[in-house]
Amino acid sequence: MSRTFLGMPPFPKAAEAAVADAQLRHNLHRATRTIRRTRGRAVAEVDDWEALRAAGAAIKDRTLRHLDRYLEQLEEAVTAAGGHVHWAVDAAEANAVVTELVRATGHREVVKVKSMATQEIGLNEALAEAGITAYETDLAELIVQLAEDRPSHILVPAIHRNRAEIREIFLRAMADWGRPAPADLTDDPRALAEAARRHLRERFLTAKVAVSGANFAVAETGTLVVLESEGNGRMCLTLPETLISVVGIEKLVPTWRDLEVFLRLLPRSSTGERMNPYTSMWTGVAPGDGPREFHLVLLDNGRTDVLADAVGRQTLRCIRCSACLNVCPVYERAGGHAYGSVYPGPIGAILTPQLRGTASEADAALPYASSLCGACFEVCPVAIDIPEVLVHLRERVVEQGGRPGERALLAAASWTLGDERRLAWAQRAAGAVRSLVPRRLPLGPAAAWTDTRDLPEIPAEPFRDWWARREKEDGR
Amino acid sequence: MRIALFVTCVNDTLFPRTGQAVVRLLERLGHEVVFPAGQTCCGQMHYNTGYRRDAQRLAVRFVETFADHDVVLAPSGSCAAMVRDNYPRLAPAGSRLGRAAAEVAPRVLDLSELLVDVLGVTDVGAYFPHRVAYHPTCHGMRLLGLGDRPLRLLRAVRGLELVELPDAEECCGFGGTFAVKNPAVSAAMGWDKARNAAATGAEVLCAVDNSCLMHIGGVLRRQRSGMRVMHLAEILASTEKEAVR
């Protein structure tokens, strides 16, 4: 079973350890750079990218404004097509619904299509408690599951691993879960993929129940859409008898025309491909074709609270493309685990504290896990102003009390800067002790600076004093 | 032209040379510089750290101080961006601050915008016989959209050899209080930036924001790298006359 993020230290501490991990730094540097370049090329090809991006944002905003109506429309359409719709207010409810549905089939094993929603609610762990084994079938999710690891990226959950490590994981753990890896396995990507293919093929052919998420749900027809690159998802979506899809309520698009925009935005933003390799779409059940039973679990789990926040609600536009992770200099150095959530990177830094709240130290640290450089906003295909939401959430953290030491320091700064005479006085006071300031300071934020950087020299005369002196000398 | 200088609290307190360079440069070009004495800080640090009310108070002070000036120069990309990009967000809808910010904000310019767009010069008559790499700081690049304005100004400087900085558009890791709230990641980013800068073989790393340069420069000095950081204004203010004096 994959480990959960419970008990992770707050971001600054977790990131400190990650920054010191040479292998991790190397793997992430390589992987994010490659994918960044590929995305850049794919996006540059599209002349009307900015218009497409604006359309994506507008469609999502419109959908969110009338979400209640579209959700009911979706429910009606899915039901009319022979599917069953369940509503889950939180993770516990969603897990209970899925567990009960699997139990009712009489089977104790499920195959899984890569899904962020089921990661978010900890479905695999909940199923395990009920004696049901969930098998991840996405290659990267399989790597994470075999290694008893945690995902560190939305699209490429095993991005923190290189191929040598993956070979070792396959050799060590595949046999515990099913068909073992061949003893002469090399770290050639093709050999690794072949070993995974043979391991997973047995699962696909025996599984009776599948669990998926969905990238989109089209309200007008009740159609669910999954985009993936491997075809493993399609195996899960078509071979088993029962299909259960757990889908966040923000995944809706009103019509097929709207869907078209996202089918262009998503592949170029996420994998840097012009078109997605496997796009599976299904509407309820079709006799003689695919699953005989289909259940849709619509998940809230904090989303309506996000929707209620005028600044934060743009977060719900997210289509989980990961472009913001791949371009983020903080993510590249801290890695995904440091964010303590299945949603890492810039989008995680705004989504997690909205879904989970900012009460815990770890969640309150997330909005600060950014230098506000804005690279994420620049690449976001649905134009989520991530820096704006980060600052908004920082305000929330401060309103609930913040950190006492920081509060005192910023209050002092605010008082000093509140009046030019006080500022001038502080400048002269600093100038008076300028030769006494040591190169390294022992405590707090000063130490955090001087541990790795020299301090600038304090000038003998601040600008405003120089200006006043000049005015006087000029006799102005 | 009469130009009001918003020197910024960081330049005022720690980098007066940049403010002095701005004054020297603009006077050399035949313009008048005024320094409204009531100015302190744009409030960026408080805003970006989540202290909205403190930031609002500083914003009120800023718009009052600069209300009567037609052109305001802020020789810091992120401070100019704070006023232009964030003041509208900071002000409650329909508030006095909102109206004042809408008036003042568009008149606040970065040095490269003032020179290229308003004064219409790219060759400011500067002389700086050194190898220089330019780091486009995030807020200047992404919020102000400075584009190649600083590079055009640098290319016109006599004697200056401009070299390309690898991964130039990646953040240096300063990020205001980010530098001390997340020191490990901030330092990792800063050291990578310094490594890229050093790889160019340049003597000087130039930018339009001294807060970023304080961070990168702090790393370079700690490394005893032999490379120095300079604000764009200081390079543009340098002349041959001063050099041979």
Side-chain angles (χ1 to χ4, degrees):
Chain A
M1 279 302 105
S2 69
R3 288 146 63 205
T4 66
F5 288 97
L6 281 175
M8 282 277 296
F11 185 85
K13 214 171 157 55
E16 191 180 348
V19 160
D21 184 337
Q23 182 71 68
L24 179 74
R25 290 280 296 275
H26 185 80
N27 293 353
L28 282 171
H29 180 79
R30 250 185 89 114
T32 55
R33 246 139 237 269
T34 308
I35 198 163
R36 225 182 276 175
R37 247 198 327 270
T38 321
R39 178 210 159 268
R41 271 202 301 265
V43 166
E45 286 179 353
V46 183
D47 293 335
D48 61 345
W49 183 257
E50 282 310 313
L52 201 61
R53 190 173 174 243
I59 291 167
K60 280 283 181 180
D61 281 352
R62 191 184 75 219
T63 311
L64 290 167
R65 265 201 307 277
H66 307 290
L67 191 59
D68 51 344
R69 208 173 75 207
Y70 290 124
L71 281 168
E72 284 177 358
Q73 192 187 359
L74 177 78
E75 181 183 32
E76 251 173 62
V78 170
T79 311
H84 305 274
V85 177
H86 311 261
W87 299 84
V89 71
D90 58 15
E93 226 175 87
N95 286 331
V97 169
V98 177
T99 306
E100 207 35 61
L101 288 170
V102 177
R103 266 210 192 113
T105 65
H107 297 287
R108 313 202 57 82
E109 293 184 342
V110 301
V111 285
K112 281 191 69 199
V113 184
K114 178 172 166 23
S115 136
M116 292 310 297
T118 60
Q119 297 263 15
E120 175 189 322
I121 60 175
L123 178 66
N124 291 10
E125 292 74 18
L127 288 174
E129 270 179 43
I132 299 161
T133 310
Y135 294 95
E136 294 291 348
T137 67
D138 171 83
L139 177 53
E141 291 289 4
L142 172 70
I143 296 163
V144 169
Q145 187 172 42
L146 291 176
E148 295 184 36
D149 200 350
R150 288 168 295 214
S152 72
H153 190 278
I154 290 173
L155 188 76
V156 199
I159 195 168
H160 56 292
R161 301 286 195 179
N162 67 18
R163 55 195 177 138
E165 292 172 281
I166 293 165
R167 172 181 169 269
E168 290 159 20
I169 292 164
F170 280 9
L171 285 171
R172 196 166 56 229
M174 252 182 186
D176 301 340
W177 289 79
R179 188 190 173 103
D184 59 352
L185 182 67
T186 68
D187 67 0
D188 173 37
R190 266 170 310 186
L192 294 173
E194 184 61 20
R197 191 173 291 126
R198 286 176 185 281
H199 178 84
L200 289 169
R201 192 56 57 106
E202 289 184 359
R203 287 281 157 248
F204 295 136
L205 294 174
T206 52
K208 302 292 179 206
V209 184
V211 174
S212 84
N215 294 97
F216 304 100
V218 186
E220 66 173 349
T221 55
T223 305
L224 287 147
V225 184
V226 162
L227 279 72
E228 40 122 15
S229 298
E230 298 166 353
N232 294 347
R234 179 161 298 171
M235 294 277 193
C236 298
L237 295 167
T238 50
L239 291 173
E241 292 164 2
T242 303
L243 172 61
I244 305 164
S245 302
V246 182
V247 180
I249 53 173
E250 84 284 17
K251 294 284 153 205
L252 259 72
V253 290
T255 68
W256 279 73
R257 274 178 66 99
D258 299 317
L259 179 65
E260 180 261 353
V261 171
F262 297 102
L263 293 185
R264 292 182 67 201
L265 284 170
L266 182 51
R268 287 184 197 261
S269 297
S270 58
T271 50
E273 290 167 305
R274 291 174 178 155
M275 195 182 159
N276 187 63
Y278 290 89
T279 304
S280 300
M281 300 172 170
W282 70 98
T283 309
V285 289
D289 183 17
R292 270 166 270 166
E293 206 174 315
F294 170 57
H295 295 271
L296 171 61
V297 183
L298 287 168
L299 177 72
D300 183 335
N301 205 30
R303 285 160 175 77
T304 45
D305 293 336
V306 184
L307 191 57
D309 185 301
V311 178
R313 70 172 61 126
Q314 55 185 312
T315 313
L316 296 179
R317 290 182 201 150
C318 176
I319 54 174
R320 310 283 189 261
C321 73
S322 305
C324 64
L325 278 65
N326 300 330
V327 80
C328 177
V330 175
Y331 175 86
E332 186 191 317
R333 287 162 184 88
H337 292 159
Y339 293 81
S341 157
V342 296
Y343 300 112
I347 188 65
I350 61 170
L351 182 57
T352 305
Q354 292 191 81
L355 293 178
R356 298 200 302 218
T358 46
S360 78
E361 199 190 343
D363 292 333
L366 284 173
Y368 292 96
S370 164
S371 65
L372 303 179
C373 82
C376 47
F377 179 31
E378 201 170 56
V379 298
C380 177
V382 285
I384 302 170
D385 191 340
I386 293 177
E388 179 184 38
V389 182
L390 284 166
V391 169
H392 175 67
L393 294 171
R394 291 175 185 189
E395 286 167 3
R396 197 181 284 179
V397 172
V398 168
E399 272 164 31
Q400 74 188 20
R403 292 172 155 269
E406 174 189 294
R407 230 192 153 76
L409 278 176
L410 272 101
S414 181
W415 182 82
T416 309
L417 294 165
D419 182 280
E420 77 273 17
R421 282 164 301 238
R422 292 198 285 262
L423 174 59
W425 178 85
Q427 288 169 336
R428 283 173 210 138
V433 298
R434 58 196 283 262
S435 56
L436 306 175
V437 178
R439 297 179 67 82
R440 295 200 193 210
L441 297 159
L443 282 170
W449 181 278
T450 59
D451 275 352
T452 53
R453 294 152 284 207
D454 279 7
L455 285 167
E457 273 171 34
I458 299 170
E461 187 181 46
F463 178 83
R464 68 180 62 234
D465 287 356
W466 172 82
W467 179 271
R469 189 161 55 81
R470 200 177 84 122
E471 297 273 280
K472 216 157 121 191
E473 284 167 8
D474 286 2
R476 293 190 209 186
Chain B
M1 186 179 284
R2 188 185 163 97
I3 297 152
L5 174 61
F6 171 56
V7 76
T8 80
C9 63
V10 167
N11 286 329
D12 184 7
T13 308
L14 292 172
F15 306 100
R17 272 198 332 230
T18 296
Q20 292 158 8
V22 165
V23 174
R24 217 160 58 238
L25 170 66
L26 292 175
E27 289 182 350
R28 188 174 82 215
L29 295 173
H31 303 285
E32 185 194 353
V33 180
V34 293
F35 180 76
Q39 64 179 282
T40 56
C41 166
C42 65
Q44 183 182 192
M45 177 176 74
H46 287 92
Y47 174 74
N48 281 352
T49 314
Y51 292 78
R52 189 183 182 85
R53 273 190 296 275
D54 293 302
Q56 280 170 341
R57 276 196 290 272
L58 291 167
V60 166
R61 186 177 186 86
F62 179 92
V63 294
E64 281 171 359
T65 307
F66 290 97
D68 296 331
H69 296 279
D70 296 331
V71 177
V72 182
L73 167 64
S76 156
S78 65
C79 301
M82 172 66 194
V83 177
R84 290 221 310 249
D85 204 61
N86 289 328
Y87 275 14
R89 264 189 270 259
L90 191 56
S95 64
R96 219 158 46 116
L97 172 59
R99 286 192 300 276
E103 281 274 305
V104 177
R107 295 188 240 133
V108 178
L109 303 173
D110 156 81
L111 179 63
S112 67
E113 291 174 316
L114 173 72
L115 291 171
V116 176
D117 300 350
V118 180
L119 305 180
V121 285
T122 44
D123 184 351
V124 296
Y127 167 79
F128 193 73
H130 301 282
R131 201 176 159 99
V132 175
Y134 176 73
H135 167 57
T137 54
C138 301
H139 293 177
M141 172 174 58
R142 299 202 176 92
L143 297 180
L144 297 181
L146 296 184
D148 68 348
R149 288 180 188 85
L151 292 173
R152 281 157 66 194
L153 290 161
L154 286 171
R155 282 195 202 107
V157 174
R158 261 165 291 287
L160 187 148
E161 185 194 351
L162 189 63
V163 292
E164 201 176 322
L165 178 68
D167 293 331
E169 295 190 355
E170 188 167 280
C171 176
C172 71
F174 172 64
T177 49
F178 175 78
V180 288
K181 287 174 82 80
N182 279 288
V185 180
S186 171
M189 289 163 70
W191 284 62
D192 284 349
K193 180 61 73 182
R195 197 187 52 222
N196 281 326
T200 64
E203 302 153 57
V204 176
L205 182 70
C206 169
V208 296
D209 219 312
N210 271 333
S211 45
C212 310
L213 288 179
M214 175 172 73
H215 166 73
I216 308 168
V219 172
L220 289 168
R221 276 168 51 149
R222 177 61 56 91
Q223 294 176 338
R224 310 289 185 268
S225 75
M227 188 175 192
R228 62 188 163 132
V229 296
M230 271 177 97
H231 192 281
L232 176 68
E234 292 173 47
I235 292 180
L236 298 183
S238 309
T239 58
E240 187 159 7
K241 209 168 123 201
E242 282 170 30
V244 297
R245 190 166 54 189

